[in-house]
Amino acid sequence: MATTFSIPKAEGLKIGAQNRFTQPFAEINSKDILRVGGKNASLGEMIGHLASKGIQVPDGFATTADAFRYFIAANGLEKPLREELAQLDLKNFSNLDEIADATHQLMLDATMPQDLIQEITAGYEELCRKNDRLVEVAVRSSATAEDLPNASFAGQHESFLNRSGAEDVVRAVHQCFASLFRARAIKYRVDNGFDHMKVALSAGVQLMVRSDLASSGVCFTLDPESGFRNVILISGCWGLGENIVQGAVNPDEFVVFKPTLEAGKRALISKKLGSKAKTMIYADNNSSGRTIVNTETPEAKRKQWVLSDAEVEQLAKWSQLIEEHYKTPMDIEWAKDGISQKLFIVQARPETVHSSKDPFIKKEYELLSEGKVIVQGSAVGSSIASGVARIIQSTAESDKLQPGEVLVTDSTNPDWDPILKKASAIITNRGGRTSHAAIVAREVGAVAVVGTIDATSKIKDGQIVTVSCMQGKTGSVYEGKLEWREYELNFRNVKMPRTSPMMILGDPDQAFGLSFFPNQGIGLMRLEFIITNAIRIHPMALVYFADLKDQAAKKEIDDLTSGYSNKEQYFVDKLSQAVATIAAAFYPKDVIVRMSDFKSNEYANLLGGKEFELDEENPMIGFRGASRYYNERYREGFRLECEAMKRVREEMGFENVKLMIPFCRTVDEGKKVVALMAQYGLPRNVKGLEIYVMAEIPSNVILAKEFAEVFDGFSIGSNDLTQLTLGLDRDSAIISDLFDENNGAVKWMITSVIRDARSAGRKIGLCGQAPSDDPEFARFLVEQGIDSISFNPDALLKGIENILRAEEASNSSKS
């Protein structure tokens, strides 16, 4: 190999343990944080302990803290640096940029000592020799206090990519040293109580992965919003990963469930396609000295996933091994080489926000008024804030933002940190849940809505807005100042009753956060919310897509299902992923999934639905529930529902999922549906599958013993049962005062079906608001011996309290 360098080679000098200023990654481990910083110590730890398990980490070496201190001493920098930093306005940081510019320039004007140059050169030449070519490297900063559990230092210092040749590498190391005195790094040290001159900087020189020709991203070994520990979140974009860190793109997102990953099941439970509008690549030699450029991603690639399912699974397995090794949740960077097509882990650090919080203590927020939504995006945090919106185009406009105002911008990077910390809320056009703005928002406890696309054009500078992230993964920005309330919940010492308190849930975006509430699982998961919000298309319009007459609906369906040659699989994928997400959140507790229960007018509102639905005078008691499933008008749609549930249970491994049939009018109808489910691959009582029925029609009560021979359990739908027992329309304002679950006839129905279910050895629960609103109704259910009661999340704690009182009263009366 012939190489030519413009600075002297380090003849006869070999990189190794005897050297003072450099250390190969292979000779570094996690005990070397004070010597090479957390980032480099972690790389060495993985190479030494995890490479044997198949995890690929690019080779390299690190300059030591001694090298940095030698550089400072050789140039006599400590005194002038301290003098400049002593002038910093620690109250308002009014002169932060001025002090940073002065100290940074002091570092850049200094000279790299010749013996330090020699060791860096020797380390780089050794990498070239081992790879038999002039290699490209990344030179990354790693502070000696970096990546500790109490302070991440993530993104505070600079990295330099695609460096080649010893002179270029030495220059990049020098620039890394100088980055210790960028404004954001100075402010971070002040905020976290670090003495400026006691933090040293190590530079990691690592072989470049050609992710500019493929993809890159990050992995979190927990859900970064809720702190839920059983999942791995993987984000990715085309090209270099700086676009994700800086929030410059909306990335693809993949969620993997750890227990089923270990069991060898289909553990990828959720996929979200990002727009990935930009691709960061290495610049060619004619690009004005720039080493990287950001290009527009071609439309075809925006619609492609950056990783295959197999690659997602491989990254997830590696992430789990890394977490197990470090014994703490991790924040990991990955890259895919576009030449070799191999995946690499290029960085791993402890996750610093949720891993230190108690997930069983939650501060809850509730909007008390409604407003007009201006924009929506990905929610970060789970709180609400209001203030004056301030549109900031660049850090040069930082003075425009006053403390407590709402920052609105295109995207952010670490230079924005001092600005972000002043904001009560953060709104960006671009970025995902793992972007820089999102990470900083979590660290400082701010609410953020990222990836809105057009916030800077739709929100007016100076406008009063309310930012709410209480709707799961979707954050909303409202006009004006809305009213809300705050309260703290502590789930640690909640006493659980004998009667199982379960939840009613339809939105998978809320599942991980709600899993920390005291519960015994999900007593009712409605598919309607998922079909309306995530799928949006009538299933029969997917089965018979080619025959659709409504061309406008057909085009919209074609756009939504882009990437699916088989339109039916779009429905199966979306539905299975949503159900799997909720099943994962509450695993291994029961999750009872009710098959679709739209009325015909509701089905007609789905895309393409009008071609498959009839107008009915009274849809509430018309073509709904079980009667649809075996009817030719919907039978193929029910097949898709069954395919999704089979995938969830068998391929994805969620045997905690039970299925429930709504509005089943007759015993024969129940038999038809159960037989059809078996035909579609869901045979009752095979592989543990239980099929329940809603008890919401008087016939279900009167013939409960017969229904018990067809089904494995009952769930009382108190709303429908009340209206059908009393013969009233619960939506009618004229007679709404007659709707009452405490009516004697309704209670007789409930008493009867509980008695007959228990005598048949079948479980029975109830889904409804009444047991939380009315302690007497809860007491009535407990006295009848009901097995479970399901509540909406906002009513769960009150419901548990009412059940406990009822059980105590029941015990007292017996004694």
PDB file of all heavy atoms in Angstrom, residues 78-100:
ATOM      1  N   GLU A  78      -4.527  27.203  29.870  1.00  0.00           N
ATOM      2  CA  GLU A  78      -5.449  27.160  31.006  1.00  0.00           C
ATOM      3  C   GLU A  78      -5.753  28.555  31.550  1.00  0.00           C
ATOM      4  O   GLU A  78      -6.918  28.907  31.786  1.00  0.00           O
ATOM      5  CB  GLU A  78      -4.901  26.280  32.126  1.00  0.00           C
ATOM      6  CG  GLU A  78      -5.869  26.205  33.311  1.00  0.00           C
ATOM      7  CD  GLU A  78      -5.513  25.108  34.304  1.00  0.00           C
ATOM      8  OE1 GLU A  78      -4.574  24.338  34.047  1.00  0.00           O
ATOM      9  OE2 GLU A  78      -6.205  25.048  35.336  1.00  0.00           O
ATOM     10  N   LYS A  79      -4.732  29.378  31.724  1.00  0.00           N
ATOM     11  CA  LYS A  79      -4.950  30.715  32.306  1.00  0.00           C
ATOM     12  C   LYS A  79      -5.827  31.596  31.412  1.00  0.00           C
ATOM     13  O   LYS A  79      -6.837  32.154  31.878  1.00  0.00           O
ATOM     14  CB  LYS A  79      -3.616  31.400  32.592  1.00  0.00           C
ATOM     15  CG  LYS A  79      -3.789  32.755  33.271  1.00  0.00           C
ATOM     16  CD  LYS A  79      -2.447  33.409  33.571  1.00  0.00           C
ATOM     17  CE  LYS A  79      -2.663  34.783  34.202  1.00  0.00           C
ATOM     18  NZ  LYS A  79      -1.364  35.479  34.456  1.00  0.00           N
ATOM     19  N   PRO A  80      -5.502  31.750  30.108  1.00  0.00           N
ATOM     20  CA  PRO A  80      -6.366  32.598  29.269  1.00  0.00           C
ATOM     21  C   PRO A  80      -7.791  32.057  29.136  1.00  0.00           C
ATOM     22  O   PRO A  80      -8.738  32.836  29.048  1.00  0.00           O
ATOM     23  CB  PRO A  80      -5.645  32.634  27.919  1.00  0.00           C
ATOM     24  CG  PRO A  80      -4.680  31.491  27.935  1.00  0.00           C
ATOM     25  CD  PRO A  80      -4.303  31.299  29.366  1.00  0.00           C
ATOM     26  N   LEU A  81      -7.933  30.744  29.117  1.00  0.00           N
ATOM     27  CA  LEU A  81      -9.275  30.162  29.050  1.00  0.00           C
ATOM     28  C   LEU A  81     -10.068  30.503  30.312  1.00  0.00           C
ATOM     29  O   LEU A  81     -11.236  30.908  30.245  1.00  0.00           O
ATOM     30  CB  LEU A  81      -9.202  28.642  28.860  1.00  0.00           C
ATOM     31  CG  LEU A  81      -8.790  28.146  27.480  1.00  0.00           C
ATOM     32  CD1 LEU A  81      -8.543  26.636  27.510  1.00  0.00           C
ATOM     33  CD2 LEU A  81      -9.868  28.481  26.431  1.00  0.00           C
ATOM     34  N   ARG A  82      -9.444  30.324  31.471  1.00  0.00           N
ATOM     35  CA  ARG A  82     -10.139  30.632  32.729  1.00  0.00           C
ATOM     36  C   ARG A  82     -10.503  32.114  32.795  1.00  0.00           C
ATOM     37  O   ARG A  82     -11.583  32.474  33.268  1.00  0.00           O
ATOM     38  CB  ARG A  82      -9.264  30.249  33.929  1.00  0.00           C
ATOM     39  CG  ARG A  82      -9.215  28.751  34.212  1.00  0.00           C
ATOM     40  CD  ARG A  82      -8.655  28.471  35.598  1.00  0.00           C
ATOM     41  NE  ARG A  82      -8.572  27.057  35.876  1.00  0.00           N
ATOM     42  CZ  ARG A  82      -9.596  26.320  36.324  1.00  0.00           C
ATOM     43  NH1 ARG A  82     -10.784  26.891  36.521  1.00  0.00           N
ATOM     44  NH2 ARG A  82      -9.426  25.036  36.587  1.00  0.00           N
ATOM     45  N   GLU A  83      -9.603  32.971  32.332  1.00  0.00           N
ATOM     46  CA  GLU A  83      -9.876  34.404  32.387  1.00  0.00           C
ATOM     47  C   GLU A  83     -11.077  34.763  31.513  1.00  0.00           C
ATOM     48  O   GLU A  83     -11.918  35.580  31.896  1.00  0.00           O
ATOM     49  CB  GLU A  83      -8.635  35.180  31.942  1.00  0.00           C
ATOM     50  CG  GLU A  83      -7.508  35.151  32.970  1.00  0.00           C
ATOM     51  CD  GLU A  83      -6.227  35.801  32.463  1.00  0.00           C
ATOM     52  OE1 GLU A  83      -6.154  36.108  31.231  1.00  0.00           O
ATOM     53  OE2 GLU A  83      -5.289  35.999  33.272  1.00  0.00           O
ATOM     54  N   GLU A  84     -11.138  34.181  30.339  1.00  0.00           N
ATOM     55  CA  GLU A  84     -12.285  34.448  29.466  1.00  0.00           C
ATOM     56  C   GLU A  84     -13.583  33.912  30.083  1.00  0.00           C
ATOM     57  O   GLU A  84     -14.602  34.606  30.119  1.00  0.00           O
ATOM     58  CB  GLU A  84     -12.067  33.793  28.090  1.00  0.00           C
ATOM     59  CG  GLU A  84     -11.031  34.476  27.231  1.00  0.00           C
ATOM     60  CD  GLU A  84     -11.520  35.805  26.671  1.00  0.00           C
ATOM     61  OE1 GLU A  84     -12.723  36.105  26.786  1.00  0.00           O
ATOM     62  OE2 GLU A  84     -10.696  36.565  26.137  1.00  0.00           O
ATOM     63  N   LEU A  85     -13.547  32.682  30.591  1.00  0.00           N
ATOM     64  CA  LEU A  85     -14.760  32.052  31.143  1.00  0.00           C
ATOM     65  C   LEU A  85     -15.230  32.756  32.415  1.00  0.00           C
ATOM     66  O   LEU A  85     -16.421  32.748  32.733  1.00  0.00           O
ATOM     67  CB  LEU A  85     -14.483  30.571  31.430  1.00  0.00           C
ATOM     68  CG  LEU A  85     -14.290  29.705  30.180  1.00  0.00           C
ATOM     69  CD1 LEU A  85     -13.674  28.353  30.543  1.00  0.00           C
ATOM     70  CD2 LEU A  85     -15.624  29.498  29.463  1.00  0.00           C
ATOM     71  N   ALA A  86     -14.295  33.387  33.138  1.00  0.00           N
ATOM     72  CA  ALA A  86     -14.670  34.104  34.359  1.00  0.00           C
ATOM     73  C   ALA A  86     -15.561  35.303  34.051  1.00  0.00           C
ATOM     74  O   ALA A  86     -16.273  35.808  34.928  1.00  0.00           O
ATOM     75  CB  ALA A  86     -13.416  34.551  35.101  1.00  0.00           C
ATOM     76  N   GLN A  87     -15.535  35.785  32.813  1.00  0.00           N
ATOM     77  CA  GLN A  87     -16.339  36.946  32.427  1.00  0.00           C
ATOM     78  C   GLN A  87     -17.750  36.564  31.973  1.00  0.00           C
ATOM     79  O   GLN A  87     -18.563  37.421  31.636  1.00  0.00           O
ATOM     80  CB  GLN A  87     -15.634  37.692  31.285  1.00  0.00           C
ATOM     81  CG  GLN A  87     -14.254  38.201  31.646  1.00  0.00           C
ATOM     82  CD  GLN A  87     -13.568  38.831  30.448  1.00  0.00           C
ATOM     83  OE1 GLN A  87     -14.120  39.729  29.804  1.00  0.00           O
ATOM     84  NE2 GLN A  87     -12.366  38.349  30.135  1.00  0.00           N
ATOM     85  N   LEU A  88     -18.051  35.265  31.972  1.00  0.00           N
ATOM     86  CA  LEU A  88     -19.360  34.804  31.493  1.00  0.00           C
ATOM     87  C   LEU A  88     -20.487  35.301  32.398  1.00  0.00           C
ATOM     88  O   LEU A  88     -20.418  35.172  33.623  1.00  0.00           O
ATOM     89  CB  LEU A  88     -19.374  33.269  31.432  1.00  0.00           C
ATOM     90  CG  LEU A  88     -20.653  32.607  30.920  1.00  0.00           C
ATOM     91  CD1 LEU A  88     -20.921  32.997  29.465  1.00  0.00           C
ATOM     92  CD2 LEU A  88     -20.544  31.077  31.039  1.00  0.00           C
ATOM     93  N   ASP A  89     -21.528  35.867  31.815  1.00  0.00           N
ATOM     94  CA  ASP A  89     -22.728  36.304  32.530  1.00  0.00           C
ATOM     95  C   ASP A  89     -23.526  35.058  32.905  1.00  0.00           C
ATOM     96  O   ASP A  89     -24.226  34.482  32.068  1.00  0.00           O
ATOM     97  CB  ASP A  89     -23.552  37.223  31.632  1.00  0.00           C
ATOM     98  CG  ASP A  89     -24.908  37.572  32.230  1.00  0.00           C
ATOM     99  OD1 ASP A  89     -25.136  37.265  33.417  1.00  0.00           O
ATOM    100  OD2 ASP A  89     -25.750  38.145  31.502  1.00  0.00           O
ATOM    101  N   LEU A  90     -23.420  34.626  34.148  1.00  0.00           N
ATOM    102  CA  LEU A  90     -24.033  33.383  34.581  1.00  0.00           C
ATOM    103  C   LEU A  90     -25.524  33.541  34.872  1.00  0.00           C
ATOM    104  O   LEU A  90     -26.216  32.534  35.110  1.00  0.00           O
ATOM    105  CB  LEU A  90     -23.328  32.850  35.829  1.00  0.00           C
ATOM    106  CG  LEU A  90     -21.862  32.437  35.630  1.00  0.00           C
ATOM    107  CD1 LEU A  90     -21.234  32.017  36.945  1.00  0.00           C
ATOM    108  CD2 LEU A  90     -21.765  31.309  34.604  1.00  0.00           C
ATOM    109  N   LYS A  91     -26.025  34.759  34.862  1.00  0.00           N
ATOM    110  CA  LYS A  91     -27.445  34.975  35.136  1.00  0.00           C
ATOM    111  C   LYS A  91     -28.268  34.922  33.845  1.00  0.00           C
ATOM    112  O   LYS A  91     -29.211  34.143  33.725  1.00  0.00           O
ATOM    113  CB  LYS A  91     -27.656  36.309  35.845  1.00  0.00           C
ATOM    114  CG  LYS A  91     -29.117  36.571  36.213  1.00  0.00           C
ATOM    115  CD  LYS A  91     -29.265  37.890  36.966  1.00  0.00           C
ATOM    116  CE  LYS A  91     -30.729  38.124  37.338  1.00  0.00           C
ATOM    117  NZ  LYS A  91     -30.919  39.419  38.054  1.00  0.00           N
ATOM    118  N   ASN A  92     -27.908  35.741  32.881  1.00  0.00           N
ATOM    119  CA  ASN A  92     -28.680  35.832  31.634  1.00  0.00           C
ATOM    120  C   ASN A  92     -27.938  35.274  30.421  1.00  0.00           C
ATOM    121  O   ASN A  92     -28.510  35.186  29.336  1.00  0.00           O
ATOM    122  CB  ASN A  92     -29.059  37.293  31.354  1.00  0.00           C
ATOM    123  CG  ASN A  92     -29.920  37.881  32.445  1.00  0.00           C
ATOM    124  OD1 ASN A  92     -30.891  37.268  32.872  1.00  0.00           O
ATOM    125  ND2 ASN A  92     -29.555  39.068  32.918  1.00  0.00           N
ATOM    126  N   PHE A  93     -26.656  34.931  30.599  1.00  0.00           N
ATOM    127  CA  PHE A  93     -25.819  34.405  29.516  1.00  0.00           C
ATOM    128  C   PHE A  93     -25.837  35.344  28.301  1.00  0.00           C
ATOM    129  O   PHE A  93     -25.828  34.907  27.150  1.00  0.00           O
ATOM    130  CB  PHE A  93     -26.270  32.993  29.111  1.00  0.00           C
ATOM    131  CG  PHE A  93     -26.051  31.981  30.196  1.00  0.00           C
ATOM    132  CD1 PHE A  93     -27.068  31.694  31.109  1.00  0.00           C
ATOM    133  CD2 PHE A  93     -24.839  31.344  30.336  1.00  0.00           C
ATOM    134  CE1 PHE A  93     -26.870  30.785  32.135  1.00  0.00           C
ATOM    135  CE2 PHE A  93     -24.628  30.426  31.353  1.00  0.00           C
ATOM    136  CZ  PHE A  93     -25.645  30.155  32.263  1.00  0.00           C
ATOM    137  N   SER A  94     -25.879  36.637  28.591  1.00  0.00           N
ATOM    138  CA  SER A  94     -25.970  37.631  27.523  1.00  0.00           C
ATOM    139  C   SER A  94     -24.726  37.655  26.645  1.00  0.00           C
ATOM    140  O   SER A  94     -24.794  38.020  25.464  1.00  0.00           O
ATOM    141  CB  SER A  94     -26.208  39.021  28.125  1.00  0.00           C
ATOM    142  OG  SER A  94     -25.149  39.350  29.023  1.00  0.00           O
ATOM    143  N   ASN A  95     -23.577  37.253  27.217  1.00  0.00           N
ATOM    144  CA  ASN A  95     -22.330  37.274  26.435  1.00  0.00           C
ATOM    145  C   ASN A  95     -21.805  35.874  26.129  1.00  0.00           C
ATOM    146  O   ASN A  95     -20.608  35.697  25.876  1.00  0.00           O
ATOM    147  CB  ASN A  95     -21.263  38.090  27.173  1.00  0.00           C
ATOM    148  CG  ASN A  95     -20.905  37.473  28.537  1.00  0.00           C
ATOM    149  OD1 ASN A  95     -21.648  36.627  29.054  1.00  0.00           O
ATOM    150  ND2 ASN A  95     -19.787  37.911  29.116  1.00  0.00           N
ATOM    151  N   LEU A  96     -22.700  34.883  26.149  1.00  0.00           N
ATOM    152  CA  LEU A  96     -22.273  33.494  25.933  1.00  0.00           C
ATOM    153  C   LEU A  96     -21.584  33.323  24.581  1.00  0.00           C
ATOM    154  O   LEU A  96     -20.513  32.720  24.489  1.00  0.00           O
ATOM    155  CB  LEU A  96     -23.484  32.549  26.034  1.00  0.00           C
ATOM    156  CG  LEU A  96     -23.213  31.072  25.707  1.00  0.00           C
ATOM    157  CD1 LEU A  96     -22.189  30.476  26.662  1.00  0.00           C
ATOM    158  CD2 LEU A  96     -24.524  30.264  25.751  1.00  0.00           C
ATOM    159  N   ASP A  97     -22.192  33.847  23.526  1.00  0.00           N
ATOM    160  CA  ASP A  97     -21.606  33.669  22.195  1.00  0.00           C
ATOM    161  C   ASP A  97     -20.242  34.344  22.106  1.00  0.00           C
ATOM    162  O   ASP A  97     -19.307  33.807  21.496  1.00  0.00           O
ATOM    163  CB  ASP A  97     -22.553  34.232  21.135  1.00  0.00           C
ATOM    164  CG  ASP A  97     -23.777  33.361  20.919  1.00  0.00           C
ATOM    165  OD1 ASP A  97     -23.723  32.170  21.306  1.00  0.00           O
ATOM    166  OD2 ASP A  97     -24.783  33.856  20.396  1.00  0.00           O
ATOM    167  N   GLU A  98     -20.124  35.510  22.721  1.00  0.00           N
ATOM    168  CA  GLU A  98     -18.859  36.246  22.691  1.00  0.00           C
ATOM    169  C   GLU A  98     -17.753  35.467  23.408  1.00  0.00           C
ATOM    170  O   GLU A  98     -16.634  35.329  22.893  1.00  0.00           O
ATOM    171  CB  GLU A  98     -19.070  37.609  23.358  1.00  0.00           C
ATOM    172  CG  GLU A  98     -17.825  38.469  23.440  1.00  0.00           C
ATOM    173  CD  GLU A  98     -18.067  39.742  24.241  1.00  0.00           C
ATOM    174  OE1 GLU A  98     -19.235  40.163  24.351  1.00  0.00           O
ATOM    175  OE2 GLU A  98     -17.083  40.293  24.763  1.00  0.00           O
ATOM    176  N   ILE A  99     -18.067  34.940  24.600  1.00  0.00           N
ATOM    177  CA  ILE A  99     -17.084  34.154  25.353  1.00  0.00           C
ATOM    178  C   ILE A  99     -16.735  32.874  24.611  1.00  0.00           C
ATOM    179  O   ILE A  99     -15.562  32.457  24.539  1.00  0.00           O
ATOM    180  CB  ILE A  99     -17.620  33.825  26.767  1.00  0.00           C
ATOM    181  CG1 ILE A  99     -17.876  35.110  27.565  1.00  0.00           C
ATOM    182  CG2 ILE A  99     -16.666  32.901  27.509  1.00  0.00           C
ATOM    183  CD1 ILE A  99     -16.641  35.958  27.792  1.00  0.00           C
ATOM    184  N   ALA A 100     -17.739  32.238  24.021  1.00  0.00           N
ATOM    185  CA  ALA A 100     -17.491  30.994  23.277  1.00  0.00           C
ATOM    186  C   ALA A 100     -16.594  31.254  22.077  1.00  0.00           C
ATOM    187  O   ALA A 100     -15.661  30.475  21.802  1.00  0.00           O
ATOM    188  CB  ALA A 100     -18.814  30.376  22.833  1.00  0.00           C
TER     189      ALA A 100
END
